[in-house]
Amino acid sequence: MPLSSLRILDLSRLLPGPYCSMFFSDFGAEVIKIEEPKLGDYVRWNDTKVGENSAVFHSLNRNKKSVTLNLK
């Protein structure tokens, strides 16, 4: 994959950031998504669920690693 040598830290929360980092992960970059410990990503709670999370969340965060971290 063309971006397999990259490691990207995704600190975004709204649609444009995860959408952009989705393309990086699709092209082979290692994307690590950082989420707030108790709330997580807002998109998780949208309607049209697949399991516990929304279908949009699964689509936007495919091929990413996810961790929680309190940055405060």
Side-chain angles (χ1 to χ4, degrees), residues 4 13 30 35 39 46 64-66:
S4 62
R13 298 177 83 178
E30 179 185 10
E35 296 186 54
L39 184 61
N46 285 356
K64 296 179 188 177
K65 296 177 180 177
S66 182

Side-chain angles (χ1 to χ4, degrees), residues 15-44:
L15 183 63
Y19 185 69
C20 179
S21 63
M22 174 188 70
F23 289 116
F24 283 112
S25 68
D26 286 347
F27 283 99
E30 179 185 10
V31 177
I32 302 168
K33 179 176 179 60
I34 306 295
E35 296 186 54
E36 187 177 337
K38 294 187 179 180
L39 184 61
D41 190 338
Y42 300 131
V43 178
R44 284 182 187 271

Side-chain angles (χ1 to χ4, degrees), residues 2-3 8 13 16 18 23-24 28 32 34-35 37 39 42 44 48 52-53 55 59 61 69-70 72:
L3 301 179
I8 297 171
R13 298 177 83 178
F23 289 116
F24 283 112
I32 302 168
I34 306 295
E35 296 186 54
L39 184 61
Y42 300 131
R44 284 182 187 271
T48 314
E52 294 182 10
N53 301 315
S59 176
N61 294 295
L69 178 64
N70 185 349
K72 295 178 182 175

